[in-house]
Amino acid sequence: MNGAMKTALRSISRDELLAALRDLPPLPSVVLELVESLGHEELSAGQYAAKISRDQALAAKTLRLANSSFYGRGRQVHSVAEAISVLGLRTVRGVVTAAGMAGSFQRRPGFDHHAFWRHSIGSALCAQALAGELGRDGADLAFTVGLLHDIGRLALASAFAPAYAEVEQWRRDQDCPDGDAERAVLGIDHAEVGGLIARQWNFAPAIVDAIREHHAPPDGAAITLTGIAHVADAVAHALGLAGDADEAVPTLVLPVWAACRLDDKACLRIFARTEAQFETVCEALLH
């Protein structure tokens, strides 16, 4: 294929795309409620526990994480309320969101779902650690945006499987980023699609913007949620968390990286926090 080719090979029309998004599987109601609650602390831990307990699969994954060797306290945790006391409400909200997302999309041949979710979880943990290092409120929001930043890839691979197989082949042949291959083959990229999905799910505008712009965050002296998603995505790729032999680090927008003002010690702390939890969270959520 000619790498200079500008026109899409199999452009997706706006009507096709919107129809496919309407047909996406609904998220578990508890996940939507948890995401909507981000930034609002009026719900008690008991109320969260009651919501999560309504979904047996999500409750089971929460308990599995609470009883893991990383978080385990030497006694068996038997209820979601106990799990919240062990893990903390922030971690439980992130875990339930991740588990709900991972369980809502059908696996498609030719798309590496395992690598996709490993990268998403790694980005979420990295975004959470980065927000903490920067002293920002809203580590929950950072985790959620890190988790969802590539949701457009999953939607495209699910709704347009044969065409997305062409995207993957184009990416390998041209050795280019996912977004370039998506625009070449489909005429749209996963960041734009992800923003549309987040809006369809009625997520907060800050989450919608961060997903849509995570590869091209606005420059500025202050780091934004979009900037955190952008940096976390690059760091997770640099750490090789997906386990994908073809994994490549996307280009960082230098003014956004500079706005983080991270020295070597801060970077090492972020790496360590991310890697310390990563395999435990993946084991709990993806198996």
Side-chain angles (χ1 to χ4, degrees), residues 125-277:
L125 291 169
C126 185
Q128 188 177 60
L130 177 59
E133 191 66 43
L134 296 175
R136 286 180 56 100
D137 293 332
D140 298 41
L141 274 174
F143 182 98
T144 301
V145 167
L147 180 73
L148 298 177
H149 72 285
D150 276 346
I151 199 69
R153 281 192 68 216
L154 189 60
L156 288 170
S158 297
F160 303 99
Y164 207 77
E166 294 181 38
V167 170
E168 298 279 73
Q169 189 60 53
W170 177 280
R171 178 181 62 82
R172 289 189 291 269
D173 290 346
Q174 305 300 326
D175 191 24
C176 66
D178 292 321
D180 290 353
E182 289 158 353
R183 287 187 292 274
V185 176
L186 304 176
I188 195 169
D189 65 30
H190 68 272
E192 183 177 352
V193 172
L196 292 171
I197 294 169
R199 184 177 297 140
Q200 177 175 301
W201 284 338
N202 295 316
F203 288 172
I207 297 178
V208 175
D209 292 346
I211 292 171
R212 187 181 65 246
E213 299 173 353
H214 72 272
H215 282 304
D219 294 351
I223 192 71
T224 63
L225 186 63
T226 305
I228 287 174
H230 174 72
V231 172
D233 175 43
V235 171
H237 278 301
L239 293 174
L241 299 176
D244 181 354
D246 296 328
E247 194 162 5
V249 181
T251 302
L252 270 173
V253 175
L254 292 182
V256 174
W257 173 249
C260 294
R261 299 179 182 176
L262 298 171
D263 59 21
D264 289 347
K265 289 183 178 178
C267 289
L268 290 174
R269 284 194 297 268
I270 290 168
F271 301 162
R273 287 174 193 159
T274 300
E275 292 179 314
Q277 300 176 76

Side-chain angles (χ1 to χ4, degrees), residues 109-122:
F111 183 78
D112 193 339
H113 287 256
H114 190 69
F116 172 87
W117 283 114
R118 283 179 64 88
H119 172 66
S120 297
I121 290 168

